[in-house]
Amino acid sequence: MAIDALGLHDIDAFYGDSHILQKVSFALGEGRLLGLLGRNGAGKSTCMNVVVGLLPARGGTVEVFGGDITRLPPESISARGIALVPQGRRIFKSLTVRENLMVAARPPDPGSRHAPWTSETVFAMFPRLAERKHQLAAHLSGGEQQMLAIGRALMANPRVLLMDEPSEGLAPQIVADVMATIRKLKESGLSIVLVEQNPRLVFDVADDIAILNGGRVAVVSTPAELTRGGIDLTQHLGVY
Amino acid sequence: MMTQLTSAQAVILAINSFAFGGLLFLLSAGFSLIFGLMRIPNLMHGSFFMLGAYFGVSLLDWGVNFWVAALLSGLAMAVIGGIIERFLLRRLEGQVLPQVLLTLGFAFIIADICLMVWTGDPWQPTAPPSLRGAVQAFGLFFPLYRLAILAVAVAVAIALWIMVDWTRLGAMIRAGVDDPPIARVVGIKVSQLFTLIFCLGAALAAFAGVMGAPFLSVYPGLDFEMLPLALIVVILGGTGSLLGALVGSFLLGFLYNFGQAMFPDLAYVILFLPMLLVLVLRPQGLFGRVVA
Ligand SMILES: Nc1ncnc2c1ncn2[C@@H]1O[C@H](COP(=O)(O)OP(=O)(O)OP(=O)(O)O)[C@@H](O)[C@H]1O
Ligand SMILES: [Mg+2]
């Protein structure tokens, strides 16, 4: 069996005394795209925080290409090849666009088959950012900030890309652009976790789907199986 | 009571103001970075200045070259500051009152140690031989050493500005201030960068202490004379702003020298009144950013 790019095994996580994630397990195969769905407060971002090391898990393990990263600090997890496009974008507002990319730059692994990401390749992918490279990131529009957040994540030449609701708060045309970008990244062979509330966006691009409900994994399936019916999505996702 | 000054006296006072302002900048740049970036009110900063000056005095006593002594003293203080930050202050992250108490406690400890080692007598090392004397221009004498302090302060200001505003290291530091958790997720070693800032601030304060020694002399109590001056500079200029620290330092340099010469009875009013005005009218300081 091939080694998974990312695996969560029986993760328990708490904010203070509240038990948020309860025995959460899911896996992302290499080169695949996993859609992680769930309604408000289901625990999607909490999963991301556990993976990147911002919220230490109280139980369970997180593995990246078979290596245990559960107890590592965020800087070391980043060095293991995990990059996050955070919910709400969280770009560095007092830095320029170029500086936002520069601070996240990391050379790719020696064994990597892909052309490395640099500011030039990111700017080639997002020409709007190139035009604004000397502006402060705070002055960008929402869509541009989202592109910058994606570009910043790519600068680390990650092996696994986590994207937490990248379509949130964007106009439909911009959402389409973002989805096209995600498709391109997937085609380049990157392993991706795409967190969304709206399953329609995810079903097109995802290979696998995991649905969180109340801090537990309620469904592990594929888009094909879920569109065929059989599982009542409204039960887990509400009306969409 | 106002004392009238002749124009020659005014020129000399202006030079002293610039030199003292330069010294204040070396002292308060670190204080401002530590407070502005790490949010640590470092009440040891005056103690770093005084201890650094004493280190310098001893090194000079052993025949070490003046500039080497100033650099070595800065280096020693970077190590001491780094240890205090890494092992003690780091445990109190985000807790202002415990930080105030810890740094104040250390200030008293350092004061006691200095008294024990260097006694209560003042020390006044001489300026480096090449900078003793004065240059004559426009019929006036300009003391060389004071001009040198000014030049060093301006050079340090430019170097710091380049580091913070124009290098990847500086951008990483600013990213770490903007959003510490996300900066770490992006791979920036925020905690190490902050330790580096603290070491740098401590080193600059000690370096300033040595530079100031031939001019101010070193004596018990110098620490708590300098600390409020650094505070005033940072409040005038705005925390975390290097330009603010520079302008604030020269402003205070002038207020201090001209205030003492012209209104000797009101010296403290002249020092603290502008600070109070800024606090009330423009709390972020003259050049400070408004914190969102
Ligand atoms: N910092 C925090 N402190 C305490 N509780 C939190 C914190 N962050 C999230 N929670 C709680 O944890 C639960 C899961 O939150 P999480 O942010 O993971 O949800 P989510 O699935 O990402 O939702 P959304 O789609 O709204 O982003 C929620 O009940 C939330 O209230
Ligand atoms: Mg979320």
Side-chain angles (χ1 to χ4, degrees), chain B residues 15 18-19 21-23 145-155 211 250:
Chain B
I15 293 167
F18 271 119
L23 217 49
Y145 186 65
R146 302 193 178 187
L147 296 179
I149 294 181
L150 177 61
V152 168
V154 170
M211 294 262 347
F250 288 122

Side-chain angles (χ1 to χ4, degrees), chain A residues 52 54 73-75 78 82-84 86 90-96 99 102-106 152 156, chain B residues 164-168 171-172 174-176 178-191 289:
Chain A
V52 299
L54 285 179
E75 304 86 337
S78 154
I82 306 260
L84 172 70
R90 309 262 302 256
I91 49 162
F92 302 120
K93 294 222 164 76
S94 64
L95 272 58
T96 65
E99 285 173 337
M102 198 166 76
V103 296
R106 177 193 298 281
R152 180 180 66 183
Chain B
V164 173
D165 274 19
W166 296 102
T167 65
R168 175 158 189 256
M172 286 171 133
R174 282 177 285 132
D178 246 18
D179 191 335
I182 290 299
R184 297 184 66 195
V185 167
V186 157
I188 299 171
K189 295 185 174 120
V190 176
S191 134
R289 276 175 287 176

Side-chain angles (χ1 to χ4, degrees), chain A residues 69-89:
Chain A
I69 60 160
T70 321
R71 306 268 166 266
L72 296 182
E75 304 86 337
S76 312
I77 291 176
S78 154
R80 295 291 187 94
I82 306 260
L84 172 70
V85 179
Q87 183 165 22
R89 315 191 250 279

Side-chain angles (χ1 to χ4, degrees), chain A:
Chain A
M1 204 187 87
I3 299 175
D4 287 323
L6 175 70
L8 279 73
H9 309 287
D10 292 328
I11 292 295
D12 279 295
F14 291 72
Y15 280 120
D17 285 337
S18 33
H19 195 170
I20 306 288
L21 297 183
Q22 310 188 17
K23 297 260 173 276
V24 166
S25 302
F26 58 78
L28 167 69
E30 182 169 11
R32 294 177 75 86
L33 192 149
L34 172 76
L36 185 60
L37 297 170
R39 64 178 109 193
N40 278 329
K44 306 180 297 296
S45 298
T46 308
C47 283
M48 299 300 107
N49 288 342
V50 168
V51 174
V52 299
L54 285 179
L55 179 66
R58 273 214 216 153
T61 53
V62 184
E63 290 183 353
V64 176
F65 289 98
D68 190 346
I69 60 160
T70 321
R71 306 268 166 266
L72 296 182
E75 304 86 337
S76 312
I77 291 176
S78 154
R80 295 291 187 94
I82 306 260
L84 172 70
V85 179
Q87 183 165 22
R89 315 191 250 279
R90 309 262 302 256
I91 49 162
F92 302 120
K93 294 222 164 76
S94 64
L95 272 58
T96 65
V97 168
R98 204 178 65 88
E99 285 173 337
N100 263 277
L101 298 179
M102 198 166 76
V103 296
R106 177 193 298 281
D109 291 333
S112 166
R113 285 166 284 134
H114 306 287
W117 288 100
T118 61
S119 334
E120 286 74 42
T121 49
V122 168
F123 284 143
M125 182 155 188
F126 302 113
R128 303 268 301 157
L129 293 182
E131 287 164 27
R132 286 155 203 272
K133 61 178 154 194
H134 297 300
Q135 286 187 21
L136 284 185
H139 299 159
L140 298 180
S141 71
E144 289 160 353
Q145 292 191 4
Q146 188 63 62
M147 287 165 197
L148 183 55
I150 297 173
R152 180 180 66 183
L154 293 174
M155 287 297 288
N157 284 292
R159 297 197 288 171
V160 176
L161 182 63
L162 312 172
M163 307 181 92
D164 197 347
E165 303 204 32
S167 67
E168 196 183 23
L170 300 181
Q173 179 51 47
I174 312 286
V175 172
D177 290 349
V178 169
M179 294 312 293
T181 304
I182 293 173
R183 211 167 270 122
K184 261 191 246 171
L185 294 175
K186 188 191 156 191
E187 278 157 21
S188 79
L190 199 55
S191 313
I192 300 173
V193 176
L194 175 59
V195 172
E196 273 297 340
Q197 287 199 36
N198 180 353
R200 272 186 282 244
L201 277 176
V202 179
F203 281 4
D204 286 353
V205 283
D207 301 301
D208 307 289
I209 300 286
I211 301 180
L212 283 177
N213 193 352
R216 295 170 190 275
V217 177
V219 177
V220 176
S221 185
T222 60
E225 206 175 319
L226 290 173
T227 35
R228 225 179 293 132
I231 294 168
D232 181 13
L233 284 180
T234 48
Q235 181 200 334
H236 300 300
L237 298 176
V239 208
Y240 57 87

Side-chain angles (χ1 to χ4, degrees), chain B residues 182-202:
Chain B
I182 290 299
R184 297 184 66 195
V185 167
V186 157
I188 299 171
K189 295 185 174 120
V190 176
S191 134
Q192 290 181 16
L193 286 183
F194 281 6
T195 301
L196 190 76
I197 297 275
F198 200 87
C199 293
L200 180 68

